Amino acid sequence: MNLLTPFQYSFMNEALFVGAVVGAVCAVLSCYLVLKGWSLMGDAVSHAVLPGVVGAYLLGWPITVGAFASGLLCAVATGWIKSNTRIKEDTVMGIVFTGLFAFGLVLFTKVETEAHLNHILFGNILGIERGDMIETLVAAFVTLTLILFMRKDLLLFCFDSAHASAIGLNTNLLYYMLLALLAGTIVASLQAVGIILVVAMLVTPGCTARLLTDRFDRMLMVSVGSSVLASCLGVYVSFFINGSTGACIVLAQALLFALAFVFGPKHGLLAARKRLA
Amino acid sequence: MHDTAPPPSIDVDDVTVAYNNGHIALRDVSFKLDAGTICALVGINGSGKSTLFKSIMGFLRPAKGGVRIAGLTVEAARRRQLVAYVPQSEEVDWTFPVSVWDVAMMGRYGHMNFMRIPRAEDKRVAQECLERVGMSGFKERQIGELSGGQKKRVFLARALAQRGRIMLLDEPFTGVDVQTESAIIDLLRDLRDAGHIILVSTHNLGSVPEFCDQVVLVNRTVLAFGPTEQVFTEDNLASAFGGVLRQFQFEQSTIQDHDGRTVKLLTDDERPLVFGKDGHLEYTDRQGREQLVKKREKEARA
Ligand SMILES: Nc1ncnc2c1ncn2[C@@H]1O[C@H](COP(=O)(O)OP(=O)(O)O)[C@@H](O)[C@H]1O
Ligand SMILES: [Mg+2]
C-alpha cells in the first residue's frame, strides 16, 4: 500500500469529489455566518434536522426535503418565540434545537428504518450510495448558485441591514433566504460529516479566512480553498487510519484554523507579538 | 427622475413607540419638516433620538400615529430610496471585511440590477461622493483602519451616493475632530441649499446654533419644536437636559477686569453653547449673521 493506493478505489475518488463539493458550499456560506454572528444558529439548525430526516423515511420522501423542512422550522420557531417573550434569542435557540433533536432520537428508536443512526449522526461519505450522492450534489448546486446570485445583497444584509432596508431591499426576505440557504447547506453536508460535526464545516473555514484577509472577495476564496483542502485531506487520511471520515475532515479544518491563528501574516498570534515587541 | 419626484417632507404625526419589552421610548411625537432645512434632534442619551430615527425609517412600527415622507408611507419612500440613513458609529461592525470603496458602492445598490453589478455611472457617482467628503485617497482601506472622523465621512459618502433627498444622521459629530465637523457642516449646508432635508441628532449643543435652522428638542416626547433661536433658550434646554449641563458664568473675569465685551472660550472638541447676557444665542463669528446683528441692534435701541 503506497500513498497513491486510495486513488485506485472508485469509492475513494467519489468521496474526494463529494467532500470537495460539500466543503466548497459550506465554505461560502460560512463566510456569511461568521460575519453575521450566526454560528449558534448553524449548530441549532443542524441538530434540528434529525426529526425531519426520520420523518422523511417514514413518509417515503427524499431525506433532503424532510431535513430542510425541519431545519427551517427550528429557525422560524426560534424567531417567533423570541419576539413573543422576553427571553434572549440564543437561549430560545438552545431550547428549540435540543427539543427537536431529542424528538428526532425518540422517533428514530420507535420506528424501524433501514438507515443507520450512526450514518446520520456522523456521516458516511466513504459508503455513500448513488441516490444519496445525487441528492447531495443537487442540494449543493442549488445552494451555491443561489448564494452566488445573492452574494452582494446578503453581504449588505450582514453588514448593515438598516441601510439595506433604506435602499428598498426586502430585509425580511433576505433573513429567510439566509436561513433557507443555511438549511440547504446543512442538508448537503449531512452525508459527508453528519449532524453532529456539520457545524464545524459551517464555521471553521470562514473563521480561518477571516484571520487571513480583510476583503470579502478574498475571504470567500481563502475559505473555499481551506475547506476543500481540509475535506480532501480528511478523506485521504481516514483511508489510512481507518478512522471516522467526518471527524478527520473536521480535524483537518481545525488544524488549518490553528495554523492561520498562529502564523497569519496580519491577525496571527506571532504577527501580533512581533508588533508589540 | 428627481424633477418629477414630489418635494421632500417629513411629517411625524402623533407617534408613540414602544419596544417589545414594553418600554415606551417615545410618546405623542409630532413635527413637520419641509424642503431645504437642517433640523437638529437634540436630547440627552436615552431620550429617544435613535428611536425616532428608526420610526422615521420604518424599522420600528409606531404603536400609535404615523410617519409620512414626501406624502408617502415609509415603505413606499424606502422603495424610492428617498431617505438616506447614516447610523450611529456604535451600530457598525468596524472589523467587517469591506473597504471604503465597497461602502460607498453600497449607496448605489438600489440603482443597480439585481446582481448588483455596478455600471460606469455607479462608479462615477461613488467616486464623486468620496471626493466630496475628501476620502477618495483611502478607497482600498478596510473601514476599521480609519479615524473616527474618516469613518463618518465614508458613511456620509454612502448616503450621498444613494441620491436621496432626505438624510438622517445619527450622532454624526461624536468622536469627530473639529476640522471634520466643519467639513461635514459645510457639506450639509450645501445639501440644504439644494433643497434637501437634513435631520441630525446630537447631544452636543454648541454646534447646533451654528448650522441648524430648526430644532426638535426631545426627552421621550417633543419638548419644543421650531426655529433654533426660539427653541434654544436657557429654559427649554434646562428642561431637556435637567442637571446634566455644566454652566460657566462669565459675568466678570476671575483675575482681572476686562472690557465687558470680549469673552474667550477654549474647548478641546465639543463646541460650547454660549448665551449673551440677556439670554440670546452667541455664534462663533458674525459672518453670515449680519441680519441678526442688525435685528439685535434695533432691539437694543428700542
Ligand atoms: N431595542 C430596544 N429594546 C428596548 N429598549 C430600547 C431598545 N433600544 C432603545 N431602548 C430604550 O429606549 C430609550 C431610547 O433609546 P434611544 O432611542 O437609543 O436614545 P438616544 O438615541 O436618544 O440615546 C432608552 O431608554 C433605551 O434604553
Ligand atoms: Mg442614539
Side-chain angles (χ1 to χ4, degrees):
Chain A
M1 197 156 89
N2 65 31
L3 291 178
L4 291 178
T5 315
F7 302 109
Q8 288 162 8
Y9 296 93
S10 71
F11 76 87
M12 272 306 287
N13 286 323
E14 277 174 15
L16 283 169
F17 174 66
V18 173
V21 171
V22 165
V25 182
C26 289
V28 172
L29 192 84
S30 139
C31 292
Y32 292 96
L33 286 197
V34 167
L35 291 175
K36 184 83 187 151
W38 269 14
S39 311
L40 185 64
M41 183 72 103
D43 199 24
V45 174
S46 61
H47 280 81
V49 301
L50 186 58
V53 171
V54 183
Y57 268 117
L58 272 179
L59 299 169
W61 291 359
I63 335 171
T64 314
V65 175
F68 186 79
S70 76
L72 265 193
L73 174 75
C74 166
V76 173
T78 302
W80 186 77
I81 295 176
K82 188 202 94 181
S83 57
N84 285 288
T85 57
R86 54 199 305 171
I87 306 169
K88 293 217 174 75
E89 180 166 29
D90 58 341
T91 319
V92 177
M93 220 181 271
I95 297 167
V96 174
F97 91 71
T98 46
L100 279 169
F101 188 65
F103 177 58
L105 286 176
V106 171
L107 210 58
F108 194 90
T109 47
K110 281 287 155 224
V111 245
E112 286 293 310
T113 67
E114 58 211 278
H116 295 287
L117 185 59
N118 265 347
H119 289 175
I120 297 171
L121 294 186
F122 296 107
N124 179 33
I125 195 170
L126 295 187
I128 192 167
E129 280 166 28
R130 197 26 59 99
D132 290 342
M133 184 165 131
I134 291 173
E135 264 183 52
T136 297
L137 291 180
V138 168
F141 178 76
V142 172
T143 318
L144 197 58
T145 318
L146 279 173
I147 301 179
L148 290 181
F149 265 102
M150 314 257 324
R151 68 177 195 283
K152 290 199 173 165
D153 285 15
L154 289 172
L155 184 68
L156 178 55
F157 171 66
C158 294
F159 177 54
D160 188 347
S161 73
H163 176 70
S165 131
I167 59 172
L169 304 191
N170 185 339
T171 42
N172 270 331
L173 183 75
L174 287 172
Y175 173 85
Y176 285 108
M177 189 78 198
L178 198 55
L179 276 183
L181 290 170
L182 172 61
T185 311
I186 288 168
V187 166
S189 347
L190 281 186
Q191 303 292 339
V193 288
I195 286 176
I196 308 282
L197 291 176
V198 68
V199 66
M201 303 282 288
L202 287 171
V203 176
T204 321
C207 287
T208 306
R210 189 95 170 75
L211 291 177
L212 295 177
T213 165
D214 281 329
R215 272 320 160 277
F216 186 70
D217 290 345
R218 267 173 259 161
M219 184 174 161
L220 275 181
M221 285 186 276
V222 174
S223 176
V224 170
S226 79
S227 181
V228 170
L229 180 66
S231 289
C232 295
L233 210 61
V235 171
Y236 183 77
V237 169
S238 76
F239 179 86
F240 291 101
I241 64 170
N242 239 334
S244 156
T245 318
C248 287
I249 294 177
V250 172
L251 266 181
Q253 300 265 26
L255 181 71
L256 290 180
F257 173 79
L259 289 177
F261 176 66
V262 177
F263 299 106
K266 195 164 164 194
H267 304 296
L269 207 58
L270 293 183
R273 286 275 157 78
K274 208 180 273 173
R275 268 201 304 275
L276 282 181
Chain B
M1 194 172 92
H2 289 308
D3 302 338
T4 57
S9 66
I10 300 179
D11 191 353
V12 178
D13 182 29
D14 200 27
V15 164
T16 294
V17 184
Y19 280 104
N20 277 345
N21 61 6
H23 176 72
I24 296 181
L26 288 173
R27 202 186 280 278
D28 307 332
V29 170
S30 296
F31 62 92
K32 187 169 188 314
L33 301 175
D34 288 311
T37 183
I38 301 179
C39 178
L41 189 58
V42 178
I44 53 172
N45 280 326
S47 58
K49 301 184 294 294
S50 300
T51 305
L52 182 54
F53 275 162
K54 284 174 187 155
S55 351
I56 294 176
M57 296 302 299
F59 304 152
L60 291 172
R61 192 175 287 281
K64 189 177 81 150
V67 178
R68 305 210 44 106
I69 291 170
L72 304 165
T73 62
V74 288
E75 288 79 19
R78 282 207 312 248
R79 278 195 294 278
R80 295 182 190 202
Q81 307 188 59
L82 295 183
V83 191
Y85 175 66
V86 180
Q88 224 170 310
S89 281
E90 297 86 81
E91 292 184 8
V92 177
D93 174 4
W94 296 106
T95 66
F96 211 89
V98 288
S99 66
V100 167
W101 177 250
D102 294 334
V103 172
M105 222 39 170
M106 285 172 186
R108 301 299 300 166
Y109 275 17
H111 299 267
M112 299 178 193
N113 62 11
F114 83 108
M115 287 278 289
R116 315 294 172 206
I117 297 169
R119 294 160 304 156
E121 164 75 358
D122 298 311
K123 290 182 185 162
R124 194 187 60 71
V125 173
Q127 170 71 27
E128 178 199 302
C129 295
L130 281 176
E131 275 165 19
R132 219 169 150 187
V133 299
M135 287 300 292
S136 58
F138 298 85
K139 275 193 259 180
E140 289 309 314
R141 275 288 174 89
Q142 194 268 329
I143 52 168
E145 296 165 354
L146 301 170
S147 73
Q150 292 171 330
K151 286 174 177 167
K152 288 287 179 198
R153 285 188 275 157
V154 173
F155 276 76
L156 201 56
R158 182 179 77 176
L160 290 174
Q162 184 185 328
R163 292 278 194 255
R165 312 228 9 231
I166 299 174
M167 202 181 276
L168 308 187
L169 300 104
D170 203 351
E171 307 272 358
F173 303 125
T174 313
V176 162
D177 51 294
V178 178
Q179 263 167 319
T180 304
E181 183 175 324
S182 319
I184 293 180
I185 289 176
D186 286 341
L187 186 70
L188 297 183
R189 283 195 182 119
D190 290 346
L191 291 172
R192 180 224 10 230
D193 295 342
H196 291 231
I197 295 179
I198 318 281
L199 186 57
V200 189
S201 84
T202 179
H203 56 256
N204 172 4
L205 298 177
S207 57
V208 170
E210 294 298 326
F211 75 104
C212 296
D213 310 302
Q214 287 170 292
V215 175
V216 180
L217 206 55
V218 289
N219 193 1
R220 303 183 56 187
T221 183
V222 172
L223 299 174
F225 163 58
T228 309
E229 308 95 71
Q230 284 171 26
V231 174
F232 253 46
T233 60
E234 288 190 63
D235 285 348
N236 276 344
L237 290 171
S239 77
F241 284 80
V244 182
L245 291 179
R246 255 175 300 205
Q247 278 199 17
F248 297 92
Q249 287 270 7
F250 295 96
E251 291 293 348
Q252 56 188 50
S253 164
T254 46
I255 49 170
Q256 65 177 92
D257 286 337
H258 55 61
D259 66 359
R261 284 171 179 276
T262 339
V263 171
K264 187 171 274 178
L265 213 156
L266 295 180
T267 145
D268 51 355
D269 62 341
E270 300 239 323
R271 282 177 206 243
L273 178 70
V274 182
F275 286 105
K277 274 201 177 146
D278 50 357
H280 65 258
L281 281 171
E282 289 286 350
Y283 301 88
T284 41
D285 53 48
R286 287 191 167 193
Q287 205 189 341
R289 317 213 180 267
E290 289 82 1
Q291 269 166 325
L292 263 178
V293 175
K294 267 184 214 147
K295 212 167 100 190
R296 293 267 178 279
E297 266 169 19
K298 236 181 258 166
E299 282 167 11
R301 252 180 271 136

